[in-house]
């Protein structure tokens, strides 16, 4: 009976493959998870992969904004993430959510930056006694 | 006996010194003897019972006087005793009244104190309640203000912020954080 691989081991392997530019690694991972009946761990494994990539200098950041970003602003955001995380490479996932009203939210494996209007209103509402 | 005496006197009467001054010595003797007999009779039969009666009466009077004196003494004694008892009773009554007054005053003071304490407690409670109400009102006002500001901000920002303004704001925010 084969030993169950830990999430960390799987994540580290996938991260190494991504850095080595293996385009099929994600499909392989998906197949592995289905085969080993571990599909529920998918999200956790993805986060572990992101953490492993961040340790190697590649940061995956989820960026949420209220309006479409201009190219210059996107570049500024990338610069900001690279500076904050000491990353050599930054991969951004940008999504738009109008309910944020304005501002930006940046999520990396180790940091969270919330400068949205909705976030500020939440903080304000949290000050209710 | 008297008749014979009278006859003897008539027979032997003659003129003497006694007749010169108008005294008949025979009648005188007779009257003397009669007197003596009368005295004897009175002394023997009348005086003793009379004296006894007088003595008895005297004795009774003395007894009555003594009884009256004793009764007077007893009455005086009784009066003195009654007076002293009355005095004692008056004194006791005065003491009771004084004690009752003292107790009434003490009760009145205690009631006043209790009423004062109750009033103070009511005032203190009212003050505390007012303070609590003020604090609650301040909290409610604080929360309402926050909510109103948040709603107003949502409405205003939702309408005024467009893509370019948002991008500009994001750029400035990133510069500030750096």
């Amino acid at each position: 009976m084969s030993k169950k691989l830990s999430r960390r081991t799987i994540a580290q392997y996938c991260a190494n493959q991504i850095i080595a530019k293996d385009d099929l690694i994600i499909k392989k991972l998906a197949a592995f998870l289905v085969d080993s009946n571990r599909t529920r761990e998918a999200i956790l494994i993805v986060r572990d992969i992101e953490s492993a990539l961040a340790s190697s200098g590649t940061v995956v950041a989820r960026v949420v904004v209220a309006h479409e970003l201009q190219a210059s602003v996107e570049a500024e955001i990338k610069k900001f993430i690279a500076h904050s995380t000491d990353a050599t490479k930054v991969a951004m996932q940008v999504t738009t959510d109008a309910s944020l009203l304005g501002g930006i939210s940046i999520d990396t494996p180790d940091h969270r930056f919330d400068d949205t209007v909705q976030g500020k209103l939440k903080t304000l509402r949290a000050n209710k006694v | 006996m008297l008749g014979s005496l009278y006859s003897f006197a008539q027979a032997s009467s003659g003129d003497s010194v006694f007749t010169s001054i108008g005294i008949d010595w025979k009648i005188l003797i007779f009257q003397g003897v009669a007197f003596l007999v009368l005295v004897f009779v009175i002394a023997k039969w009348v005086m003793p019972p009379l004296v006894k009666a007088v003595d008895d009466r005297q004795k009774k009077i003395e007894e009555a006087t003594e009884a009256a004196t004793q009764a007077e003494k007893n009455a005086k004694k009784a009066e003195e005793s009654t007076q002293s008892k009355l005095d004692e009773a008056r004194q006791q009554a005065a003491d009771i009244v004084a004690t009752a007054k003292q107790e009434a005053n003490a009760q009145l003071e205690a009631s006043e104190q209790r009423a004062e304490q109750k009033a103070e407690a009511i005032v203190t409670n009212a003050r505390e309640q007012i303070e609590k109400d003020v604090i609650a009102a301040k909290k409610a006002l604080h929360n309402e203000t926050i909510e109103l500001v948040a709603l107003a901000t949502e409405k205003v920002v939702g309408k005024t912020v467009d893509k370019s303004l948002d991008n500009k704001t994001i750029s400035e925010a990133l510069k500030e954080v750096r």
Side-chain angles (χ1 to χ4, degrees):
Chain A
M1 203 166 167
S2 57
K3 203 177 166 186
K4 185 180 172 180
L5 287 171
S6 70
R7 279 205 325 261
R8 205 169 170 184
T9 309
I10 295 169
Q12 190 60 56
Y13 174 74
C14 291
N16 292 337
Q17 292 303 107
I18 290 167
I19 291 165
K21 295 190 190 312
D22 182 355
D23 294 332
L24 294 172
I25 187 61
I26 298 301
K27 281 185 181 171
K28 288 176 188 173
L29 174 64
F32 171 75
L33 290 176
V34 168
D35 189 47
S36 59
N37 209 20
R38 292 172 73 174
T39 50
R40 286 181 196 169
E41 295 175 54
I43 292 170
L44 296 169
I45 289 172
V46 165
R47 288 207 190 279
D48 289 339
I49 292 171
E50 286 174 3
S51 293
L53 285 170
S55 315
S56 308
T58 304
V59 169
V60 177
R62 287 186 190 78
V63 176
V64 186
V65 287
H67 301 90
E68 213 180 302
L69 285 171
Q70 292 165 356
S72 56
V73 175
E74 234 180 277
E76 271 185 58
I77 293 167
K78 246 186 189 167
K79 234 182 188 176
F80 171 76
I81 294 167
H83 177 79
S84 304
T85 58
D86 293 325
T88 50
K89 198 177 175 186
V90 177
M92 272 188 357
Q93 283 178 5
V94 182
T95 47
T96 315
D97 182 1
S99 68
L100 296 181
L101 299 175
I104 186 168
S105 163
I106 302 170
D107 233 329
T108 60
D110 300 323
H111 298 95
R112 188 181 167 83
F113 176 75
D114 187 350
D115 198 44
T116 59
V117 172
Q118 198 57 252
K120 285 175 184 166
L121 290 177
K122 250 188 203 165
T123 308
L124 180 66
R125 284 189 169 112
N127 282 330
K128 282 185 189 179
V129 291
Chain B
M1 186 176 172
L2 283 172
S4 54
L5 275 171
Y6 187 69
S7 304
F8 174 72
Q10 261 187 328
S12 43
S13 67
D15 291 337
S16 66
V17 174
F18 291 106
T19 45
S20 61
I21 58 172
I23 296 170
D24 191 350
W25 69 271
K26 288 176 191 165
I27 293 171
L28 184 68
I29 291 169
F30 173 71
Q31 282 178 343
V33 169
F35 177 72
L36 287 170
V37 168
L38 184 66
V39 166
F40 176 76
V41 166
I42 286 171
K44 183 85 177 170
W45 286 289
V46 174
M47 282 304 285
L50 198 65
V51 166
K52 187 169 179 286
V54 167
D55 283 345
D56 285 345
R57 190 158 172 80
Q58 181 70 25
K59 200 175 173 186
K60 275 184 185 167
I61 287 168
E62 279 172 6
E63 277 174 5
T65 309
E66 204 179 308
T69 309
Q70 190 61 40
E72 198 182 330
K73 276 186 192 167
N74 289 345
K76 204 171 180 183
K77 235 185 197 177
E79 195 185 329
E80 280 170 9
S81 163
T82 305
Q83 191 62 41
S84 96
K85 280 185 181 162
L86 273 175
D87 289 343
E88 203 181 308
R90 278 198 195 101
Q91 185 59 42
Q92 277 182 2
D95 290 343
I96 288 169
V97 166
T99 308
K101 272 185 183 169
Q102 266 181 7
E103 280 178 10
N105 283 342
Q107 272 188 2
L108 190 65
E109 259 182 52
S111 296
E112 279 178 4
Q113 262 184 7
R114 276 200 299 272
E116 249 182 64
Q117 281 171 358
K118 219 173 181 178
E120 271 177 27
I122 289 170
V123 166
T124 306
N125 283 345
R127 278 206 188 111
E128 281 173 8
Q129 190 59 44
I130 288 168
E131 274 177 28
K132 278 182 189 168
D133 290 345
V134 165
I135 290 167
K138 279 181 180 173
K139 277 184 188 174
L141 182 65
H142 175 81
N143 291 346
E144 241 180 85
T145 306
I146 285 174
E147 192 57 38
L148 283 171
V149 165
L151 286 171
T153 306
E154 278 172 359
K155 286 207 172 356
V156 167
V157 167
K159 281 181 184 167
T160 55
V161 173
D162 60 3
K163 180 180 160 182
S164 61
L165 182 60
D166 193 21
N167 276 273
K168 193 177 169 188
T169 312
I170 290 168
S171 180
E172 281 168 9
L174 292 174
K175 281 175 190 159
E176 259 179 48
V177 171
R178 267 199 224 154

